[in-house]
Amino acid sequence: MRNNCGTSRIVGCQFSLHPMSDNFVDIILSTLSEVDTSKVWKETDDVSTCIRGKMIHVFDVAKAIFLHAANTGEHVAMNGTFSIGCPGDTEADAYMDETDIPLNEEKAKAILQIAGCKFSLYPMGHEDYMDKIYEQINLSKHRNVTVTSTHYATRLDGDVHDIFNALHESFELVQEKVSHVTMTFSLSANSPTK
């Protein structure tokens, strides 16, 4: 059986949150309860959390979760993958009917947090994929973040709001040109090694 990319433009993000603290359970649970996830489908298990819905809400929830966890002052890391256009990806399409008003932006904008992030874009099924990746790396330099290259990724340093704006815009612009796109990311805040 041959899979074709689905027509749904639902976005998913599978991520793991890692507070480097003895109090990690409370940090994770309090963070998940602090963030309004009512505009996304959400499932959490012992390995990761998956959120799905409109792009604006998936990025809003992921950013809010990281910000609230990092706001504890503990060293916090988050690793995950955003995806759009995955073949057969239609479960939870009802969340695509939500309005475009993000639910966490107002509360989260008061949290100022410096972080480091490495991300990699994967436009699927196109021979000129590197051109699309380089376009986004160049655009990242104009988004209030410090951009450096590293093996297999691009590094962004700056305020978490600016980092997520760069991630969101890069992901959105590539998915307008390529039907199936994934983007991996790794974030770290409050690291004692900085």
Side-chain angles (χ1 to χ4, degrees):
M1 184 165 103
R2 186 170 172 254
N3 278 333
N4 293 317
C5 286
T7 57
S8 171
R9 297 316 282 164
I10 195 166
V11 171
C13 180
Q14 184 91 241
F15 66 88
S16 296
L17 184 66
H18 304 284
M20 313 302 173
S21 166
D22 291 341
N23 198 26
F24 70 94
V25 173
D26 289 339
I27 293 171
I28 292 171
L29 294 178
S30 65
T31 295
L32 290 173
S33 67
E34 184 76 22
V35 175
D36 190 336
T37 61
S38 60
K39 287 191 176 183
V40 296
W41 177 91
K42 178 175 74 76
E43 181 176 84
T44 299
D45 59 26
D46 61 330
V47 176
S48 62
T49 296
C50 181
I51 52 178
R52 296 165 45 78
K54 277 187 169 179
M55 188 181 307
I56 190 168
H57 301 307
V58 171
F59 275 89
D60 173 63
V61 168
K63 177 175 76 171
I65 286 172
F66 185 75
L67 278 171
H68 285 290
N71 200 37
T72 64
E74 298 287 353
H75 178 199
V76 176
M78 178 189 253
N79 299 295
T81 303
F82 288 95
S83 179
I84 188 168
C86 185
D89 196 6
T90 57
E91 184 184 0
D93 270 359
Y95 287 92
M96 298 303 284
D97 295 332
E98 296 289 346
T99 65
D100 286 344
I101 300 167
L103 298 176
N104 296 287
E105 187 59 35
E106 193 61 35
K107 189 189 255 185
K109 73 180 179 183
I111 302 172
L112 300 178
Q113 179 66 57
I114 299 300
C117 175
K118 291 182 180 179
F119 80 104
S120 298
L121 274 163
Y122 299 96
M124 306 297 204
H126 282 259
E127 291 179 13
D128 64 341
Y129 68 95
M130 283 307 296
D131 294 337
K132 294 175 183 3
I133 292 170
Y134 286 134
E135 285 173 22
Q136 297 317 307
I137 293 168
N138 290 333
L139 285 173
S140 295
K141 295 176 182 177
H142 306 288
R143 295 182 179 138
N144 299 322
V145 290
T146 301
V147 181
T148 51
S149 62
T150 183
H151 291 294
Y152 318 117
T154 299
R155 181 173 177 131
L156 307 175
D157 287 280
D159 182 76
V160 170
H161 297 278
D162 295 327
I163 288 171
F164 267 91
N165 286 343
L167 293 174
H168 186 166
E169 191 174 342
S170 293
F171 186 76
E172 186 168 29
L173 290 172
V174 171
Q175 70 86 33
E176 288 174 357
K177 300 171 185 173
V178 179
S179 63
H180 184 192
V181 180
T182 61
M183 180 175 70
T184 60
F185 68 96
S186 183
L187 282 154
S188 177
N190 306 321
S191 173
T193 60
K194 277 303 265 183

